[in-house]
């Protein structure tokens, strides 16, 4: 676990670069439609993920059930597929597609691949990873995604002493533009530090009202005991997850949207308490994402104990371009290796 926790100090160090930014109310309308003329001239298809539709593709329940069994990957414990889960609303992404996401923040090259590379190069690399996953699992189409840290834990308390920094809306708008170029969905991720999820989530509602925008919550930086982020690993309870899923469900109903995907990061037992009390809803698809870094065997153990053995709904897996290769065998798992090692198959893949 030491390997995992050290990542927090690297993250917090990078945030010292962000002290001159302010939360913006946004002067341009996020998610507004843009001309597809340029894309059409290049022979590309128009991106329609951001369009609110009067109806979405109807759910094929038979196919949905069969894909849950397929993704259980021969599990014999009885935990997978998770029993008595509600069918999602029409237009659900999971388990019909595997989401492959690039994670980070545009202000920092140290927080993930999303901000490490120039945008054009980053999107080209994402496209390459998407193709690799499609080749590794031809049965499962891939939905590209950009997973952007919208509220960042930091080492400075700030004016209100909450040790978190809200990114300006203009940067979220920039991520939406990049996502549109890649036909990607967007995740807005929140690290609350000494704030709380009830205070931070509503501030992002205008973005979450868009059909292509989803949400991530990071227990590692939820410091309920008042500790400064980065000194110890934080926690969320099932009640916090239920608050978020309930809030997202309300947005879905209000705006006639397809289900939202909710990513919950996890690499220790205490990061998510009372997991059996997590409520599943037809408007929200919950992914428990194995967020730890390290050598392959360490990651495998973490997935087994904190993801496989505490089933919620869907699972995710995080790959680190740099941190995963720090120790022997100096090797980041390939898509083929991830698919061969883990039960159930992770349906959400995140690269940092």
């Amino acid at each position: 676990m030491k390997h995992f926790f050290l990542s927090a100090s690297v993250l917090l160090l990078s945030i010292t670069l962000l002290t001159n930014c302010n939360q913006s109310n946004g002067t341009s309308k996020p998610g507004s439609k843009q001309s597809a003329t340029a894309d059409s001239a290049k022979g590309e298809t128009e991106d329609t993920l951001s369009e609110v539709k009067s109806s979405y593709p109807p759910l094929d329940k038979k196919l949905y059930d069969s894909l849950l069994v397929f993704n259980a990957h021969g599990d014999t414990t009885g935990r997978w597929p998770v029993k008595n889960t509600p069918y999602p609303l029409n237009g659900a992404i999971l388990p019909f597609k595997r989401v492959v996401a690039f994670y980070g923040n545009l202000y920092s090259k140290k927080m993930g691949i999303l901000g490490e590379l120039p945008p054009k190069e980053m999107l080209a690399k994402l496209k390459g990873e998407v193709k690799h996953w499609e080749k590794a699992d031809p049965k499962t189409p891939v939905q590209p995604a950009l997973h952007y840290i919208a509220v960042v834990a930091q080492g400075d308390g700030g004016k209100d002493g909450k040790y978190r920094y809200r990114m300006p809306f203009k940067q979220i708008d920039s991520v939406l533009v990049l996502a549109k170029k890649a036909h990607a969905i967007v995740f807005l991720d929140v690290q609350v530090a000494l704030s709380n999820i009830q205070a931070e989530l509503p501030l992002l509602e205008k973005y979450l009202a868009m059909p292509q925008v989803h949400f991530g919550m990071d227990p590692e930086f939820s410091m309920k005991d008042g500790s400064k982020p980065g000194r110890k690993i934080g926690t969320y309870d099932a009640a916090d997850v239920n608050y978020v899923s309930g809030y997202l469900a309300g947005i879905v109903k209000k705006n006639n949207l397809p289900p939202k995907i909710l990513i919950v990061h996890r690499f220790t037992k205490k990061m998510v308490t009372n997991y059996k009390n997590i409520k599943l809803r037809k408007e929200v698809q919950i992914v428990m994402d194995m967020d730890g870094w390290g050598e392959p065997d360490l990651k495998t153990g973490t997935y087994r104990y904190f993801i496989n053995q505490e089933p919620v709904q869907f699972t995710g897996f995080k790959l680190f371009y740099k941190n995963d290769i720090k120790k022997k065998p100096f090797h980041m798992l390939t898509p083929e290796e991830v698919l061969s090692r883990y039960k159930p198959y992770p349906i959400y893949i995140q690269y940092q």
Side-chain angles (χ1 to χ4, degrees), residues 123-145:
L123 294 180
K125 188 175 182 66
L126 174 59
K127 186 176 182 179
E129 296 293 5
V130 166
K131 289 182 177 180
H132 195 166
W133 278 96
E134 289 174 336
K135 182 178 179 180
D137 179 10
K139 293 184 179 180
T140 309
V142 175
Q143 172 60 63

Side-chain angles (χ1 to χ4, degrees), residues 71-258:
N71 284 307
H73 192 192
D75 179 79
T76 59
T77 65
R79 290 189 287 266
W80 303 93
V82 179
K83 298 178 177 62
N84 302 317
T85 60
Y87 285 111
L89 295 177
N90 294 341
I93 294 175
L94 309 178
F96 303 103
K97 294 181 179 181
R98 173 174 284 110
V99 176
V100 173
F102 270 14
Y103 173 94
N105 183 287
L106 295 180
Y107 280 136
S108 174
K109 294 183 178 182
K110 295 182 178 180
M111 293 173 65
I113 192 67
L114 175 59
E116 181 178 347
L117 300 177
K120 187 175 182 179
E121 186 178 343
M122 181 271 294
L123 294 180
K125 188 175 182 66
L126 174 59
K127 186 176 182 179
E129 296 293 5
V130 166
K131 289 182 177 180
H132 195 166
W133 278 96
E134 289 174 336
K135 182 178 179 180
D137 179 10
K139 293 184 179 180
T140 309
V142 175
Q143 172 60 63
L146 298 181
H147 196 120
Y148 162 77
I149 313 169
V151 180
V152 187
Q154 62 172 359
D156 188 293
K159 292 182 179 180
D160 60 3
K162 297 299 183 182
Y163 289 88
R164 56 88 181 88
Y165 200 88
R166 297 168 180 160
M167 296 297 104
F169 286 162
K170 64 182 180 180
Q171 195 187 94
I172 300 179
D173 296 343
S174 297
V175 173
L176 291 173
V177 172
L178 290 175
K180 193 175 184 69
K181 293 179 180 179
H183 307 295
I185 59 175
V186 172
F187 289 87
L188 300 182
D189 203 274
V190 169
Q191 302 171 350
V192 299
L194 271 66
S195 182
N196 57 69
I197 198 68
Q198 291 80 3
E200 302 302 327
L201 173 58
L203 300 179
L204 298 170
E205 181 168 345
K206 73 172 183 177
Y207 291 103
L208 293 166
M210 303 175 189
Q212 82 278 27
V213 179
H214 304 266
F215 193 72
M217 55 192 299
D218 195 343
E220 181 179 359
F221 301 102
S222 171
M223 316 311 297
K224 290 178 178 285
D225 64 355
S227 300
K228 293 181 181 180
R231 295 186 177 182
K232 61 189 295 187
I233 298 172
T235 185
Y236 276 130
D237 186 72
D240 298 300
V241 179
N242 290 341
Y243 165 79
V244 173
S245 68
Y247 196 96
L248 294 177
I251 293 175
V252 168
K253 294 174 184 176
K254 180 180 178 180
N255 297 280
N256 188 36
L257 301 174

Side-chain angles (χ1 to χ4, degrees), residues 15-16 74 83 92 103 114 142 158 162 227 229 234 238 264 270 277 289 301 348 352:
I15 302 308
T16 59
K83 298 178 177 62
Y103 173 94
L114 175 59
V142 175
K162 297 299 183 182
S227 300
V264 183
K270 291 183 178 180
N277 294 335
D289 177 41
Y348 170 85
Q352 180 168 334

Side-chain angles (χ1 to χ4, degrees), residues 133 136 296 300 331-342:
W133 278 96
T300 296
H331 171 66
M332 186 181 77
L333 291 166
T334 66
E336 291 82 3
E337 289 171 323
V338 171
L339 293 171
S340 67
R341 277 176 173 253
Y342 302 115

